[in-house]
Amino acid sequence: MFFKQLFIKTKSISKLRLQQIPGIFYRNINNIALDDTPHITSSEIKKVLNGNNVSFEEGYTCYLAKCSVCNVDTKRHLYINKITGFFICTKCKLSGEWGTLEEGLKKNINSKRKKLNALNRKDFVTLGACCEQDKIKDYLEKIQTNTNDIKSLSQSDFLNIFESFKLPQVSNKILDTINIRIDNKHENLYFQLDNADQETVGYKVLNVISNKYKVEPSQTCTGILYAKLRPKETAVVVANVPDFLILVNHKPSVNVICLPNGLINISQFVLTSLERFNKLILWFGNDVESWDSARTFAKKLGEKRCLFIRPTDQHQLPHLAPEQDFKAIISSAQPIVHKSITTFSSLREDVFSDLQNIDKVQGVKWKRFPTLNKILKGHRKGELTILTGPTGCGKTTFISEYSLDLAMQGVNTLWGSFEIRNARLARTMLQQYAGIQLDEHLDQFDFWADKFEKLPVYFMTFHGQQSIKIVMEAVEHATYVHDISHVIIDNLQFMMGMTEDSKTMDRFWKQDLIVAAVRNFATKKNCHVTLVIHPRKEKVSEDLTTSSIFGGAKATQEADNVLIIQDQRLNMLRGKKFIQIAKNRYSGDLGIMNLEFIKEKLSYAQKKKKLLTQDVSNDQKEIN
């Protein structure tokens, strides 16, 4: 009954999202649809554009062309992402997947139309494109009506408002370069977001009570918080509004940009607004998350045009030391791209930063599994973890909670489960998240589902045998679009494939190729991969070892961490089940973590009673 209800709700949400958001990837409990989205290369995009007589310019992240629908001037308003093929017109707001644009161009040729502007809006909407122009227009008009521009306020009133919103004290002269509005109740501040054509397309909204930001009218907003201070095509990019305001107040020699989603991600929608800048100076924090984001964002933005500023005791973030010499700091920015050969003097600051932030370098800590923190020290990007255990020991249930713990702390997670269907996996994760038997508390389903939907968890729609090529294309696509930090593949045997080629290829050799591809992806994309591999059939009376993992030795050699679920209950009356950390490349510490399964919660969590009681009482208050 519960499974049926969860499936129905998941399906209904997917349909709603499908109508509202252009794109193939849908967030949270929605699946990542891949069947109708073939892998695209930049050369294929150029080939189609040239074949349809579409003139274009090659930018840093996009191809720029004239839109076939709103062909009103000579300026190129159509942005086509080089990696995904996703297109956005900043003029008419049409957007969609590459297949939609390609089909529209073919339709144009097949109908023997001589001019590209013969295509109209209905053609593209029929083919699956999305137009949010009316939605954006209605939202902007509503904001204009229900808010006030704070330019008319005196300096003292201006400072009082900024103080109530916990923003830095700056001069109201900054309003000459940026637009800020406030609602009548003084509960929300609206920072204007502009697109590539410098048109207002949304707002970054700060709530005075929660002190949290959200982007409106939708997460697909293409705008950035932008202060044009100089005609130069150079900009310093910061992740938060306080840093943005301090820099604008000091009027540096470059333009200033604040990313709408901070360090969470930089979506392909925002890339269009950054395309016009020849040089981007990234100024984030000195912690591990900030440095990982700087490297990830630079790869997406184009490493050759990106520089970074390393915050030190002398060069702190703007809002931490507002009286610094910002001109000197910005001029000291260094390229992100390093040479193939380096020296210790070039690495010295990196080594010092690692030592200075040793706890953060160790990775994200689990809240449900303190023993893992003690042994593994944390969950780090760029590593490969292998999990194995006998059939039926609870590998999927454990790895579900293991990944859920990290997702609850903001780790963008992509699940690839080939063995069980996504609806069942989502049900397990939801019940682990709620900590109660939801089939007996259906009245609380919507409450917990709404909270779970906000987690950065994505699912792939694969089920059964799949080729490694198709899987890795999907994983790389999701990593690019959603800045995925953790990928779970359950399990490797389902990528071995049952094709004609597999008949002539040695299975051990094929497995080694899969492991090599996964290892290369984890290192190249700085993304943690957890790979589930079944063990060989061993004697029930013997514990598993690293040699028990199916295939050759390459899997355990390439892995940074090897976790083995030992289930002694299979051969002992009072046997225990525990996880053995058999390999730990980071610190070398090995050990075991006992597993006690709580069936009502589908949980292996190691929680103290006091904390558990407190968490339950807090959630109960929220429900009531």
Side-chain angles (χ1 to χ4, degrees):
M1 178 67 181
F2 177 77
F3 173 80
K4 184 178 180 181
Q5 290 190 12
L6 177 61
F7 175 76
I8 293 173
K9 283 184 174 287
T10 304
K11 188 176 181 180
S12 64
I13 293 173
S14 297
K15 287 184 177 180
L16 177 64
R17 291 272 171 97
L18 188 61
Q19 294 171 354
Q20 292 179 343
I21 302 176
I24 291 301
F25 291 85
Y26 300 100
R27 191 169 180 175
N28 304 318
I29 60 175
N30 300 291
N31 294 330
I32 295 179
L34 296 159
D35 299 338
D36 52 357
T37 310
H39 181 64
I40 302 298
T41 64
S42 58
S43 59
E44 290 173 342
I45 295 174
K46 289 192 289 186
K47 183 178 180 180
V48 171
L49 294 177
N50 289 325
N52 289 278
N53 299 319
V54 178
S55 62
F56 62 92
E57 294 178 1
E58 184 169 352
Y60 295 100
T61 62
C62 304
Y63 296 114
L64 284 69
K66 292 175 64 176
C67 179
S68 302
V69 174
C70 59
N71 191 11
V72 294
D73 54 39
T74 58
K75 187 175 180 180
R76 290 181 167 89
H77 296 283
L78 184 66
Y79 291 78
I80 306 169
N81 190 284
K82 289 183 178 181
I83 304 298
T84 65
F86 189 89
F87 71 91
I88 300 174
C89 176
T90 57
K91 198 70 175 178
C92 65
K93 307 300 184 291
L94 273 176
S95 62
E97 298 300 325
W98 168 248
T100 301
L101 181 61
E102 184 179 15
E103 191 173 347
L105 295 175
K106 288 181 179 178
K107 183 177 180 181
N108 179 68
I109 294 297
N110 293 336
S111 60
K112 297 181 180 180
R113 294 172 177 170
K114 296 181 180 180
K115 296 183 179 180
L116 291 173
N117 61 6
L119 282 177
N120 57 52
R121 182 186 301 272
K122 291 183 179 179
D123 290 327
F124 276 101
V125 173
T126 302
L127 293 172
C130 175
C131 179
E132 296 189 340
Q133 190 174 31
D134 295 336
K135 178 181 177 181
I136 294 173
K137 183 179 179 180
D138 292 342
Y139 172 78
L140 296 178
E141 289 178 352
K142 181 180 178 181
I143 295 301
Q144 289 288 331
T145 303
N146 299 325
T147 62
N148 300 304
D149 195 331
I150 65 174
K151 287 182 180 179
S152 59
L153 298 177
S154 64
Q155 176 70 15
S156 58
D157 292 339
F158 174 79
L159 293 177
N160 288 335
I161 288 177
F162 266 44
E163 184 178 359
S164 64
F165 280 87
K166 298 180 182 179
L167 292 173
Q169 299 295 292
V170 296
S171 171
N172 59 0
K173 291 182 180 179
I174 66 170
L175 300 176
D176 294 336
T177 55
I178 58 175
N179 293 316
I180 307 175
R181 305 187 69 84
I182 190 167
D183 60 9
N184 296 326
K185 295 182 179 179
H186 286 199
E187 292 180 351
N188 296 290
L189 271 183
Y190 294 80
F191 296 88
Q192 181 175 300
L193 301 177
D194 296 335
N195 67 2
D197 293 339
Q198 300 185 32
E199 299 173 341
T200 303
V201 292
Y203 289 91
K204 183 164 184 169
V205 187
L206 172 61
N207 182 267
V208 70
I209 299 174
S210 65
N211 198 34
K212 292 183 178 180
Y213 296 88
K214 62 179 179 179
V215 176
E216 293 185 353
S218 72
Q219 290 296 322
T220 60
C221 178
T222 59
I224 54 175
L225 184 53
Y226 171 52
K228 187 173 182 179
L229 303 174
R230 295 289 183 273
K232 299 179 181 178
E233 299 303 319
T234 301
V236 58
V237 181
V238 296
N240 59 69
V241 172
D243 284 340
F244 174 80
L245 294 173
I246 291 294
L247 285 176
V248 175
N249 190 57
H250 281 76
K251 296 183 178 179
S253 57
V254 295
N255 302 306
V256 184
I257 293 171
C258 178
L259 297 176
N261 296 319
L263 296 179
I264 297 175
N265 63 37
I266 180 168
S267 72
Q268 58 182 339
F269 303 99
V270 176
L271 294 179
T272 59
S273 298
L274 298 171
E275 190 64 45
R276 64 186 182 274
F277 298 102
N278 297 326
K279 185 183 296 183
L280 295 172
I281 303 171
L282 309 183
W283 194 352
F284 302 153
N286 199 35
D287 55 283
V288 175
E289 179 187 4
S290 298
W291 283 111
D292 285 341
S293 297
R295 289 193 291 266
T296 301
F297 291 179
K299 290 178 181 178
K300 187 177 287 189
L301 293 168
E303 290 179 312
K304 292 184 179 180
R305 67 164 171 163
C306 290
L307 294 89
F308 68 86
I309 298 173
R310 178 187 294 276
T312 62
D313 293 337
Q314 293 77 27
H315 299 165
Q316 299 185 42
L317 285 174
H319 77 278
L320 298 177
E323 300 303 325
Q324 301 175 87
D325 185 354
F326 292 113
K327 183 177 181 180
I329 295 174
I330 292 172
S331 63
S332 67
Q334 300 293 321
I336 285 182
V337 178
H338 295 285
K339 296 180 180 179
S340 300
I341 300 175
T342 187
T343 62
F344 178 75
S345 60
S346 300
L347 299 172
R348 181 169 178 160
E349 289 298 326
D350 289 323
V351 174
F352 178 75
S353 177
D354 287 353
L355 295 174
Q356 191 178 35
N357 301 277
I358 189 66
D359 290 337
K360 295 179 180 179
V361 172
Q362 290 174 347
V364 179
K365 308 295 182 184
W366 287 274
K367 292 186 176 180
R368 301 185 178 211
F369 305 108
T371 303
L372 284 183
N373 294 330
K374 184 178 179 181
I375 301 173
L376 294 176
K377 307 306 179 188
H379 182 271
R380 294 166 292 276
K381 291 184 179 181
E383 292 191 353
L384 172 62
T385 295
I386 287 179
L387 174 72
T388 192
T391 302
C393 70
K395 293 188 293 295
T396 302
T397 304
F398 168 74
I399 209 67
S400 168
E401 188 170 22
Y402 159 101
S403 63
L404 174 65
D405 188 326
L406 299 169
M408 290 171 65
Q409 299 177 66
V411 177
N412 294 347
T413 303
L414 176 64
W415 250 98
S417 176
F418 306 101
E419 199 164 0
I420 64 173
R421 296 194 177 276
N422 286 329
R424 183 179 171 188
L425 176 60
R427 171 188 170 179
T428 300
M429 296 184 76
L430 183 62
Q431 188 155 331
Q432 290 171 336
Y433 181 64
I436 58 175
Q437 279 190 281
L438 286 173
D439 55 345
E440 297 180 2
H441 299 84
L442 291 178
D443 57 313
Q444 297 184 26
F445 173 84
D446 287 329
F447 170 80
W448 289 110
D450 289 342
K451 293 186 69 173
F452 183 80
E453 191 175 356
K454 296 177 182 177
L455 297 179
V457 180
Y458 305 80
F459 298 89
M460 289 188 285
T461 56
F462 294 128
H463 189 73
Q465 298 285 349
Q466 298 293 336
S467 72
I468 180 63
K469 181 181 179 181
I470 294 176
V471 173
M472 294 313 299
E473 284 178 356
V475 170
E476 289 190 13
H477 193 154
T479 302
Y480 177 84
V481 174
H482 298 298
D483 298 308
I484 298 298
S485 301
H486 185 201
V487 176
I488 302 98
I489 298 177
D490 183 14
N491 59 65
L492 177 140
Q493 274 78 0
F494 279 91
M495 290 191 296
M496 300 290 284
M498 296 297 291
T499 62
E500 290 295 326
D501 293 338
S502 62
K503 295 180 180 180
T504 58
M505 183 180 291
D506 179 76
R507 289 183 63 81
F508 291 137
W509 173 252
K510 191 168 186 178
Q511 177 172 320
D512 287 350
L513 291 177
I514 295 173
V515 171
V518 173
R519 169 76 266 182
N520 182 60
F521 164 79
T523 304
K524 183 178 178 181
K525 300 297 182 180
N526 193 34
C527 179
H528 192 115
V529 178
T530 299
L531 181 62
V532 179
I533 304 179
H534 283 306
R536 295 196 302 265
K537 300 299 181 182
E538 303 279 8
K539 293 182 180 178
V540 178
S541 59
E542 297 179 358
D543 286 343
L544 299 177
T545 66
T546 54
S547 301
S548 304
I549 295 176
F550 182 84
K554 187 175 182 63
T556 54
Q557 289 173 351
E558 294 281 8
D560 296 284
N561 314 295
V562 176
L563 310 182
I564 303 175
I565 297 182
Q566 305 284 8
D567 195 352
Q568 297 179 342
R569 300 172 306 168
L570 300 175
N571 53 53
M572 297 183 190
L573 185 61
R574 295 187 177 181
K576 293 184 177 181
K577 183 161 67 171
F578 59 90
I579 285 186
Q580 177 186 356
I581 291 83
K583 182 178 181 181
N584 176 7
R585 183 171 283 165
Y586 178 79
S587 66
D589 296 338
L590 307 177
I592 63 172
M593 180 182 78
N594 291 321
L595 294 177
E596 296 182 8
F597 185 61
I598 305 173
K599 188 174 182 180
E600 295 77 16
K601 303 177 182 179
L602 300 179
S603 173
Y604 290 104
Q606 303 170 300
K607 274 198 171 183
K608 294 181 180 179
K609 291 183 179 180
K610 290 184 179 179
L611 292 176
L612 181 61
T613 305
Q614 184 178 357
D615 291 342
V616 172
S617 62
N618 289 339
D619 289 331
Q620 197 61 42
K621 288 179 182 178
E622 245 186 291
I623 295 173
N624 296 333

